[in-house]
Amino acid sequence: MENNQESSTAVDPSVEKLNKIKKELLSWIYIIVTVFAFKSSFFEPNHIPSGSLLPTNAIGDFILVNKMSYGFKLPYSDLFGDPIYLSTPSDPKRGDIIVFRYPRDRNILYVKRVIGIPGDEVEVYNNKVYLNGELIETKPVAKEEYIDLFDDKFDKKGIEFEEVQLGEKKFVTAVNNSMPYHLNIPKVKVDKGHFFVMGDNRDYSSDSRVWGFVPFGNVRGRAMVVWFNMVYPWSKEKFHFRPWRIGTLL
């Protein structure tokens, strides 16, 4: 009698295996949801494929983006439109490097530096930037320190470097004064809730001078630090690995 009871309560091995698989799948689902929620609201890695921010960001830089810099977002809320903020959002500051959805195609991520905030008047002429009627002062810096970050597709002979102080940020821009034409823009006033952005590589950057302002809803976060640098062997760019870029603050 007891043997019959034991056999009737024994667990079918196939059912036990199925339950184990279900538990494993649930565990992986929880892990994936948690990781992507963290990426959505806290920190996110991004890759720099172009040279528009040289010499600040080198081609092949992998950067860490602080998604909380301008407010705490509801996880996953920015997947299909503007994010929902659970805290009072704050605007990016002049000089911040931001990652944002390209205004003409939200599926593409861009990385640029904020030059003008809402209400600012910005004018760019011959690589000189005027902010609210005042020239942003620059001073030349040694070429040798930065030129190795530029590959052969750039006119290395004509490139010069200038140190810029914008707000609390001090950074270096690249300008090619040998070019007959520079990308200019007449004085414009930055709309409410929008930002005027530029690349540090002034003559090799498509930015607000071309396609206009960046809406705040497109901003994903602020670039913090370079955590790796490599151009893949199968990339259109020449392969390189620059471990000394690791830890570069932005």
Side-chain angles (χ1 to χ4, degrees):
M1 190 70 170
E2 291 178 358
N3 290 336
N4 289 338
Q5 287 178 345
E6 288 178 2
S7 60
S8 63
T9 58
V11 179
D12 187 337
S14 61
V15 174
E16 186 177 12
K17 185 177 181 179
L18 182 61
N19 289 335
K20 186 176 180 180
I21 292 173
K22 287 181 178 178
K23 288 181 180 178
E24 288 286 340
L25 284 174
L26 283 173
S27 296
W28 279 107
I29 289 172
Y30 292 148
I31 291 172
I32 292 170
V33 169
T34 301
V35 167
F36 279 92
F38 183 87
K39 180 183 173 188
S40 175
S41 294
F42 294 94
F43 297 97
E44 177 182 57
N46 284 105
H47 181 236
I48 304 292
S50 72
S52 69
L53 268 173
L54 283 166
T56 305
N57 272 132
I59 297 173
D61 275 354
F62 289 79
I63 61 174
L64 187 65
V65 179
N66 186 346
K67 302 291 288 290
M68 301 177 292
S69 290
Y70 309 118
F72 183 69
K73 304 181 186 74
L74 179 69
Y76 302 109
S77 64
D78 62 350
L79 291 180
F80 307 104
D82 292 354
I84 298 171
Y85 283 88
L86 300 178
S87 63
T88 302
S90 60
D91 286 346
K93 298 177 181 179
R94 299 186 191 96
D96 284 358
I97 296 176
I98 59 172
V99 175
F100 57 93
R101 295 186 184 276
Y102 179 39
R104 294 184 179 178
D105 185 349
R106 291 177 64 99
N107 294 315
I108 301 174
L109 292 182
Y110 269 32
V111 184
K112 304 289 180 185
R113 189 183 297 277
V114 175
I115 302 297
I117 61 177
D120 280 346
E121 289 185 334
V122 182
E123 180 182 4
V124 183
Y125 182 73
N126 282 346
N127 279 327
K128 298 298 181 183
V129 181
Y130 298 83
L131 185 63
N132 298 320
E134 298 289 334
L135 174 66
I136 296 178
E137 297 291 345
T138 63
K139 64 178 182 180
V141 294
K143 188 172 183 173
E144 293 73 22
E145 186 175 350
Y146 304 101
I147 197 64
D148 287 343
L149 295 174
F150 291 71
D151 58 31
D152 294 335
K153 69 171 174 284
F154 299 103
D155 177 14
K156 292 186 180 183
K157 292 182 179 179
I159 294 176
E160 301 293 338
F161 300 97
E162 298 177 341
E163 185 181 88
V164 182
Q165 179 78 46
L166 181 60
E168 299 177 357
K169 293 283 186 176
K170 184 181 289 186
F171 54 95
V172 174
T173 60
V175 298
N176 190 341
N177 291 319
S178 67
M179 293 183 69
Y181 173 77
H182 301 291
L183 189 56
N184 301 318
I185 186 171
K187 186 184 292 185
V188 293
K189 186 172 183 178
V190 183
D191 295 338
K192 182 179 180 181
H194 291 73
F195 302 88
F196 187 97
V197 300
M198 293 177 65
D200 291 349
N201 194 3
R202 296 291 197 238
D203 291 297
Y204 297 91
S205 173
S206 175
D207 47 43
S208 288
R209 293 171 290 178
V210 178
W211 38 256
F213 306 138
V214 177
F216 179 72
N218 287 41
V219 177
R220 294 177 66 87
R222 179 177 61 84
M224 294 175 55
V225 66
V226 176
W227 61 271
F228 193 64
N229 177 287
M230 185 176 72
V231 170
Y232 304 119
W234 55 87
S235 172
K236 293 180 181 179
E237 302 289 342
K238 185 178 179 182
F239 169 76
H240 66 246
F241 171 53
R242 297 186 174 115
W244 57 89
R245 293 285 303 163
I246 297 172
T248 301
L249 298 178
L250 302 173

